[in-house]
Structures are given as structure tokens and as C-alpha cells.
Amino acid sequence: MNRFDYVRPGSVAEAIAAAAAPGATYIAAGTNLLDLMKAGIARPERLVDITRLPGLDRIERLPDGSLRIGALVRNADLAHDRDFAQSYPAVAEALLSGASAQLRNMATVGGNILQRSRHVFHAAIGDGPPVGETRTNAILGWNYTCSMVHASDFCVPLVALDAVVEIEGRAGRREVALEVFYHLAEGAREVVTALEPGDLVTAVRLPAGAAEFLGHARYLKLRERTSYAFALVSAAAAVDMKDGKIVDARIALGGVAPKPWRARAAEEVLKGTVPGREIFHEAAEVALAGARASGDNLFKIELAKRIVVRALAAAAHGSLARLPALPASLFSTNPGATQNDA
């Protein structure tokens, strides 16, 4: 680990000024950054500690019905907030399926959305396909310089529900939809974000319209260990039902792309239909229509289709009144799913 300066600002303005310097980066819980520093992957010259900035640790219901979640809210605190869990059950399910209880007690909302994309190991040779350990790599949105996957569970239902990121920077305050917050720059080896030097994520906001799905929203995660493992594939599904038909639908996938992947075309397939296995399979085919293997991971395409079907079936059955002991796991009680779906 390289030597670095440590700064603890007393206000957001001071933090932005301190972090705008070359080589500076913010630190809150550090559950991702410290690992990267120990491994020599991240080498910041200045750490700007934002853990004591006022007002960033609040969960607020706004007058327009939206929910504002401060960037310093702990993952566990958010997941166990009664109003939040009842209003956004799929997001709570995703939060409680990520990492371990100890990490969730420390990790912050802002840090979660800013964690770096990951892969086990691969090396790109020129413009050729990735080589090495590639079975966990991306199957959507990848290229030969970047085929890693975004690791967050939390961000998958957030993208499905049109979450917005609030940012403070040298040019003032702005908002960016989480779906476009991440992007692949040409030739980049990993996903970059919409942040400029010094920019500070201050909150994530769920729009009022997200509450329309509270009765039919689920998150499912397939992983190689039921506890403390990143998703091999995951899916958030939400449907708005009226008179036995789907009037609106949301689908997003995790573990399949360098960023949380919204399946908008698949959502359109579902609108106006009666929920059932046939239409769910059709939506899954559309959601993965552009998928292609990036190494030894052709199997992930079929797995992703099946997780979409199961998530849609579970969502159509209804949100869970109480989260199970293994949130989002295929091995917990999962209404609407059968053994043949995965």
C-alpha cells in the first residue's frame, strides 16, 4: 500500500475541494476501497474521509412521494427500515443477499453503487477474446477490453425502478439516472461513471412511481455459495397488475454485464398480457437476445433466461410479506417457482 494523505472535511463543499485534487478519492466504510488498496489495484494519494459529513445518513420520504436515501446510510440499516422494506421489497431483498452481515453493517449506499466491476481473472490479448478464468464474465454489453461484471445486488432493482443518483460537484448539484450513471468508454478496461473529479454522490432517490410495484416485486440471485458470494446471475422483476393483466413491468439483470442491465424490450413484451410461463419465457428470450459468451461462459446465457422466468413468476405471485432466512436465494421458499425453472 502506498503512502497517502488523510483529510477529514467538515462540509460537503470542503470535501469536494479536497477530492478534486489529482490522486484523491473519497472513503466512507472502505469495504471495497481498502481491499483494492491492499492489493495494489487502487493507489490514491489522498483519502478524503466523508463519514462525518452532516445530513448524508438520512432516509427521507419526500413530499412528492419519492424516497431519498443518503449516501452514508448503511446497507443493513436501510434493509431493516420498516417503511423502506414494505415499500420496496425487491430492493430490501437484494440488500440482504449481498456480502455478509458484518459487511452490510458497515457498507454504505454510496459505496455500494460505486464499487468496481469484478472478474476472477482474465487477460485480453490485443483485440482477441478474453483468456484465462472466464466463466463468471459478462454475456451482455461487453467488449474485448472489458468483460467483467458489476458486482452490486442493490443496484439491480434500483435500475429496474428508475432510481436517480444525486451528485454534488464543483459545478453544483445535478442528478443522473442510475441506468446511465455507468458506461463503457471506448478502449476502457472497466466501466466508468458519470462522476467528474471532486464529484460526491450525496444520495440515491427512488421515484414515487416505484411504489406502484410494491405488491409484485422480487429479486432472485443465483450464486455458487448461498452466503457471501457475488451473483453468477441475478434478476429483479416487478409487475403492476390490474384486472388480472400486466399493465407495466420492470426487469433488470445482475452478474451479466459490466453494469446493472435493464431489459426494456422484455418489459414491453409483458405489457397487456396475462401472467404465465409462456409469456415469461418469451420475455426472457427477448431480455437475452443480444447475449454472447465472453469465454467459457455460454452456460450463463441459459441461466440468465431461467432466472428471469423465475423472478417474473415470483413477482406475479406477489411480494413476500416477510423476508426468508436466505433472502433472494433459490433455495429459500420461493412462491411461483418450480424445480423445472432453474
Side-chain angles (χ1 to χ4, degrees), residues 295-318:
D296 187 26
N297 63 349
L298 184 64
F299 71 97
K300 284 187 69 170
I301 299 175
E302 180 61 26
L303 276 183
K305 292 177 183 178
R306 296 187 183 198
I307 204 76
V308 168
V309 172
R310 287 194 69 157
L312 284 169
H317 189 279

Side-chain angles (χ1 to χ4, degrees), residues 107-329:
T108 64
V109 164
N112 194 307
I113 69 170
L114 289 171
Q115 64 183 297
R116 293 183 47 177
S117 300
R118 304 166 186 259
H119 53 63
V120 177
F121 169 78
H122 85 260
I125 301 177
D127 293 327
V131 297
E133 176 53 68
T134 56
R135 66 187 304 275
T136 63
N137 282 10
I139 53 174
L140 288 165
W142 64 275
N143 58 44
Y144 287 139
T145 58
C146 179
S147 57
M148 61 182 68
V149 297
H150 195 262
S152 173
D153 294 293
F154 177 49
C155 289
V156 179
L158 286 184
V159 163
L161 295 174
D162 292 326
V164 172
V165 181
E166 296 183 7
I167 302 166
E168 292 278 357
R170 290 178 292 177
R173 182 180 179 276
R174 70 185 192 280
E175 299 179 352
V176 179
L178 184 60
E179 185 180 2
V180 298
F181 180 76
Y182 312 98
H183 62 278
L184 265 177
E186 186 175 353
R189 298 189 65 86
E190 65 178 316
V191 160
V192 295
T193 70
L195 298 180
E196 300 292 339
D199 278 356
L200 175 64
V201 171
T202 55
V204 176
R205 195 175 70 254
L206 281 160
E212 296 175 1
F213 301 97
L214 66 89
H216 295 275
R218 292 295 306 276
Y219 178 74
L220 294 181
K221 176 182 180 179
L222 180 62
R223 45 201 150 172
E224 298 190 294
R225 297 190 312 277
T226 301
S227 64
Y228 197 53
F230 297 117
L232 193 55
V233 293
S234 68
V239 292
D240 183 13
M241 307 273 294
K242 285 184 176 62
D243 301 323
K245 290 188 176 182
I246 299 171
V247 297
D248 198 4
R250 302 291 176 85
I251 304 170
L253 292 98
V256 298
K259 65 177 188 175
W261 193 264
R262 180 81 177 266
R264 289 185 177 273
E267 296 170 359
E268 292 299 319
V269 168
L270 294 168
K271 292 179 181 179
T273 67
V274 176
R277 296 289 166 176
E278 186 175 343
I279 194 63
F280 293 160
H281 280 283
E282 183 180 341
E285 291 291 336
V286 172
L288 276 298
R292 58 194 179 103
S294 61
D296 187 26
N297 63 349
L298 184 64
F299 71 97
K300 284 187 69 170
I301 299 175
E302 180 61 26
L303 276 183
K305 292 177 183 178
R306 296 187 183 198
I307 204 76
V308 168
V309 172
R310 287 194 69 157
L312 284 169
H317 189 279
S319 301
L320 296 177
R322 182 177 181 180
L323 290 179
L326 300 173
S329 172

Side-chain angles (χ1 to χ4, degrees), residues 7 13 73 199 229:
V7 180
V73 172
D199 278 356

